[in-house]
């Protein structure tokens, strides 16, 4: 027994959509957030190496990442 499927047009595929998908984040936003993440990791790691408790190092990293994001937004164009 064979199962027949309805014919599909040759120029379209099931994965095609009517409009192209837009990216979730722009390239600018991605670069700013990744740079802020790296800055936060570096500051948090260096703070942890000084001998302070780990939660204080995490807070220092989060604070530096959060403070650097608006500055990076204006610097990176």
């Amino acid at each position: 027994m064979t199962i027949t499927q309805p014919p599909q047009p040759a120029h379209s595929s099931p994965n095609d959509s009517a409009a192209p998908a837009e990216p979730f984040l722009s390239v600018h936003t991605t670069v700013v957030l990744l740079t802020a993440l790296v800055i936060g990791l570096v500051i948090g790691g260096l703070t942890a190496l000084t001998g302070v408790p780990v939660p204080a190092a995490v807070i220092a990293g989060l604070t530096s990442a959060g403070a650097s994001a608006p500055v990076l937004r204006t610097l990176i164009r």
Side-chain angles (χ1 to χ4, degrees), residues 21-75:
E22 300 209 7
F24 181 67
L25 294 174
S26 68
V27 174
H28 179 260
T29 303
T30 304
V31 169
V32 167
L33 291 177
L34 285 176
T35 307
L37 174 71
V38 169
I39 289 172
L41 288 173
V42 168
I43 297 298
L46 290 174
T47 304
L49 290 175
T50 63
V52 299
V54 174
V58 170
I59 291 173
L62 289 174
T63 303
S64 64
S68 66
V71 176
L72 290 169
R73 181 180 172 267
T74 58
L75 289 177

Side-chain angles (χ1 to χ4, degrees), residues 8-13:
Q8 293 186 0
H11 64 280
S12 68
S13 67

